[in-house]
Amino acid sequence: MKQRMTGSTTIKGLTRSLDRRGTRSNMSPPVAQKGRAPEDPSVCDICGSIYTAKTWRRNRPLPAKLINAAAWTICPACKQAKSGKYFGRVLVRGSNAISKLDAIRSRIANVERRAEFTQPERRIVSSNWDGATLEVLTTSQKLAHRIARELQKAFGGRARYTWSDQDGALTAVWQGETRLPRA
């Protein structure tokens, strides 16, 4: 098929760029489109996060005149943590994990604290140790991915990622390996 040139673009390319089928005019994430947006400004009763300019933030001071006008509500992350719903799951396994459990838990807490500072929607829902595996459930896929990646960077080992076709949840498995001393 020959394409006719008009200036620096092709007719076919121009036609495709004007076709808007399958695109969204509202570019907010799908989870934000499901529910009604809270009033601006709003403050979470549980964690103290502040919703303003279409984002939830922590440690953002509100001017005194807006504190009285702010609506008090519960943020989506607190609702999700309370219901136990998760989109990320990290499984920590291996003999290295057992021997360094306190350091691993500390690293996971640091990753959560760093993520929560800029994005309070990303939190740990629960953390359970059954004697052989540490299971960490998170509110987002990204936090689970970060945790597994940080464990791999800090302690070696290997991380594997699997996404669910049903709900898009991520299962990240970090397998700690014990390193043998060099001879």
Side-chain angles (χ1 to χ4, degrees):
M1 178 178 176
K2 269 188 154 179
Q3 293 182 0
R4 205 170 36 152
M5 296 291 288
T6 59
S8 63
T9 61
T10 63
I11 298 283
K12 188 175 183 181
L14 183 61
T15 303
R16 285 185 180 161
S17 71
L18 295 174
D19 185 13
R20 298 286 181 215
R21 284 179 293 158
T23 61
R24 295 182 287 150
S25 61
N26 180 1
M27 296 307 289
S28 60
V31 73
Q33 293 174 5
K34 286 184 181 179
R36 188 176 59 82
E39 292 180 35
D40 192 352
S42 292
V43 180
C44 179
D45 283 333
I46 298 171
C47 68
S49 295
I50 297 171
Y51 178 83
T52 183
K54 295 186 179 181
T55 59
W56 287 94
R57 295 284 184 222
R58 278 250 173 105
N59 302 326
R60 177 180 283 176
L62 269 179
K65 64 180 180 179
L66 289 180
I67 290 176
N68 296 333
W72 290 87
T73 184
I74 298 176
C75 70
C78 289
K79 288 178 186 174
Q80 191 176 345
K82 187 176 180 180
S83 70
K85 189 173 183 177
Y86 63 92
F87 290 104
R89 181 175 168 214
V90 181
L91 301 174
V92 179
R93 298 181 177 147
S95 57
N96 192 17
I98 295 169
S99 64
K100 297 183 178 184
L101 188 60
D102 289 335
I104 288 171
R105 284 186 180 200
S106 176
R107 187 71 188 140
I108 290 170
N110 288 343
V111 172
E112 178 193 23
R113 205 171 17 258
R114 191 173 66 221
E116 204 175 66
F117 180 74
T118 57
Q119 298 163 324
E121 300 299 298
R122 295 186 175 162
R123 298 191 196 157
I124 291 178
V125 174
S126 69
S127 178
N128 298 316
W129 171 252
D130 69 1
T133 303
L134 176 65
E135 179 186 49
V136 180
L137 304 177
T138 65
T139 57
S140 71
Q141 297 172 347
K142 185 61 182 175
L143 182 57
H145 193 277
R146 279 184 190 169
I147 289 171
R149 178 71 182 120
E150 288 296 322
L151 291 176
Q152 183 179 3
K153 283 176 19 183
F155 302 105
R158 209 178 148 147
R160 254 186 8 255
Y161 308 100
T162 312
W163 282 265
S164 168
D165 289 335
Q166 282 79 27
D167 60 357
L170 169 70
T171 300
V173 179
W174 177 75
Q175 182 75 36
E177 299 169 353
T178 42
R179 296 179 181 159
L180 298 174
R182 291 187 173 189

